[in-house]
Every structure is written in structure tokens, then in C-alpha cells.
């Protein structure tokens, strides 16, 4: 039985959202925004909110940053449901999904190196040179695994942004789902974990908007339902650098002022911090009044602090 909420989103199931930081540094303002938007949206719809540490790419993991992220979230006043999930503990389920794609002939081993491709003049999307490779003749593990993508137009309606359309074969090409260095790709691991956690709604940064159709295609091949997506604008500094862990964004202090600033960035009508006696007050107000329709429909937005 479908339920409808005040924003007229059909919910086939109980709302389950998540925040999935990569532990490559401490929590910065950009990730606070993704955490806040996903949390407020979930709680506003009486949903569950889970936290998953995306630590699949061990080379990028900064030791201890998961603990920093979690303690900062806690200090900010976030309250998550269930235990913290770690991608590094889910290798078996990724392998299972990969096996299924392989059995269904939806992926293939690719031995091309970037250098080889460049020499051959292929600098754009991967031209599918290895599509005919036979698994049986692969003697070594020195290959990546690519997904055979479709030439059909696919699209989705974002709850915040414009409608997105892509033809994967023209716009993306056969993309890697298992890397040559033996790591499952983000696209595959995210899709598998969101499915296992029963995620119905994904609220995340605009930098991931281009991953969405790839993920939707994987969901279709694996027989998973597709969640409902919303992409919030990226916070950029006046120097127009994306506020990310990579650009060494300033780590945040979780005081009321920062929370209010984040809520304002997200277009929520919260005027002055003195309205709130404490963080608890702030969260109650934000969750009650949260309106995703007032989040700016922009790819990025300036933040001053
Ligand atoms: N771990 C990803 C990141 O930090 C986010 C994954 C997602 O929200 O889908 O960029
Ligand atoms: Zn190849």
C-alpha cells in the first residue's frame, strides 16, 4: 500500500535514509551539509537514518578518521539508528553481486591500461575494446572488470535538481566495477550496500549526480529497487574550490552557529542562532520545519566562514 506524505512522494516502504562518508579525512562543512540534509529529511518523514563508513578503498583511508567523523557527528547532535556499517566488512556481498553480473554476461575483463588507450588515440570514453574477452582465457588477475552499458536513454527526477538524462553508452561508456588493484568500485559497493540496508531515499552532494544513472543501471541488472534521489548543492569557498576533504577543507567545530549556517545554506528559514537555546532545540525545529523544496536548485553555492 502506497503512502503519501505532505510533499507527495509516494513511499512504498518505510523511509530509510543514510549518510555515507569516506574516511579520508575529518568531517568538513561539505559533508556536514550532506549529513544534515539526509538526517533532517529522514526524520521529517519519521524515517530511519543510518551511517555507513565507505572504506572500501583502503589506500585512501586515513587511519582514525572514521572515529573523528563519528565523534563530530555525535557532538553535532546527530542520532543514528542501528550500528555503524563498514564497507570493508562486506566484501562477500560485493563478490556475490559481481558473480551474478559475470554469470549473466553483463561484464568483462579489461586489460587495457590508460597509457595503451592513449597511444591508440582513445582519450574519451572507453571504447569497449575488450568486450569480446573470454574469462576462460584470462590467466592472471591483471585486469579490471567493466560493465557492458546500455544504449538506451535513462533518466531520473531529482527531488531538488533538474531532471537528469543519460545514454550510458554515449555519455559514460563501459565503466569499471572492479579495479585492476583488486578493489570493488564505489559504484558497485554503494549500490549493493544501499540495497542490503533497504535504503529508500538518498540525499547527497551534487558531486555524485553523475554517478546516479550508473548506479540505477546496476540496480536494474542486479534486480534491486531504485531509491529516490536528491542532490544538494556543493559548498564552495570564495576561491571557488570545492569544499572537500581532498582540498583540505577546514574541519568544523560543531557549535550552534555552524549548524545554523549549514541549515541556512540548505535554504531552511532559520534566521538567528539566538532562537535556539541549544542544539537539541535546533534539531527539533529543523526536523519539524524541514522542507526539501526550499533547498537551492543549484549545483554549487558559495559559503563564507
Ligand atoms: N562515500 C561517498 C563520498 O563520501 C558518498 C556516497 C553516497 O552518498 O552515495 O563521496
Ligand atoms: Zn580493455
Amino acid at each position: 500500500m502506497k503512502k503519501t506524505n505532505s510533499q507527495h512522494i509516494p513511499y512504498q516502504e518505510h523511509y530509510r535514509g543514510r549518510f555515507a562518508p569516506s574516511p579520508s579525512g575529518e568531517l568538513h562543512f561539505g559533508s556536514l551539509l550532506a549529513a544534515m540534509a539526509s538526517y533532517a529529511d529522514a526524520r521529517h518523514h519519521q524515517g530511519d537514518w543510518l551511517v555507513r563508513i565507505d572504506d572500501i578503498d583502503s589506500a585512501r583511508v586515513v587511519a582514525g578518521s572514521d572515529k573523528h567523523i563519528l565523534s563530530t557527528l555525535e557532538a553535532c547532535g546527530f542520532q543514528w539508528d542501528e550500528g555503524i556499517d563498514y564497507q570493508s566488512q562486506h566484501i562477500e556481498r560485493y563478490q556475490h553481486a559481481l558473480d551474478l553480473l559475470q554469470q549473466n554476461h553483463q561484464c568483462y575483463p579489461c586489460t587495457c591500461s590508460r597509457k595503451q588507450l592513449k597511444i591508440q588515440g582513445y582519450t574519451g570514453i572507453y571504447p569497449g575494446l575488450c568486450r569480446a574477452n573470454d574469462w576462460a582465457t584470462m590467466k592472471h588477475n591483471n585486469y579490471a572488470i567493466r560493465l557492458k552499458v546500455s544504449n538506451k536513454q535513462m533518466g531520473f527526477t531529482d527531488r531538488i535538481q533538474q531532471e537528469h538524462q543519460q545514454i550510458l553508452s554515449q555519455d559514460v561508456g563501459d565503466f569499471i566495477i572492479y579495479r585492476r588493484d583488486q578493489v570493488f568500485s564505489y559504484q558497485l559497493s554503494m549500490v549493493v550496500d544501499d540495497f542490503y540496508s533497504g535504503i529508500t531515499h538518498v540525499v547527497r552532494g551534487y558531486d555524485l549526480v553523475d554517478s546516479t544513472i550508473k548506479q540505477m543501471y546496476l540496480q536494474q541488472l542486479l534486480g534491486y529497487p531504485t531509491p529516490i534521489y536528491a542532490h544538494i548543492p556543493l559548498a564552495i569557498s570564495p576561491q571557488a574550490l570545492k569544499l572537500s576533504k581532498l582540498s583540505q577543507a577546514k574541519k568544523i567545530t560543531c557549535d550552534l552557529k555552524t549548524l545554523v549556517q549549514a541549515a541556512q545554506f540548505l535554504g531552511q528559514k532559520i534566521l538567528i542562532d539566538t532562537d535556539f537555546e541549544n542544539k537539541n532545540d535546533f534539531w527539533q525545529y529543523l526536523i519539524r520545519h524541514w522542507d526539501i523544496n526550499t533547498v537551492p536548485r543549484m549545483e554549487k553555492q558559495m559559503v563564507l566562514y
Side-chain angles (χ1 to χ4, degrees), residues 8 12 55 63 81 84 96 162 183 185 213 274:
H8 307 292
Q12 278 150 331
D55 61 346
D81 298 302
I84 303 292
H96 183 75
Q162 318 268 17
V183 177
S185 77
I213 290 182
T274 47

Side-chain angles (χ1 to χ4, degrees), residues 8-26:
H8 307 292
I9 302 161
Y11 290 157
Q12 278 150 331
E13 306 143 71
H14 179 65
Y15 185 125
R16 278 170 67 88
R18 63 17 169 218
F19 173 54
S22 305
S24 52
E26 295 183 18

Side-chain angles (χ1 to χ4, degrees), residues 108-113 116-117 126-131 133 144 146 180:
Y108 58 90
C110 167
T111 50
C112 307
S113 69
Q116 274 170 4
L117 289 169
Y126 177 71
L129 303 177
C130 294
R131 267 197 175 206
N133 274 357
R146 290 185 185 267
R180 194 189 280 260

Side-chain angles (χ1 to χ4, degrees), residues 49 53 73 98 101 111-112 122 145 197 200 245 259 301:
W49 186 70
I53 303 291
L73 288 175
L98 188 62
L101 295 169
T111 50
C112 307
Y122 299 116
I145 300 176
S197 300
T200 59
K245 287 156 270 195
L259 292 176
Q301 185 177 236

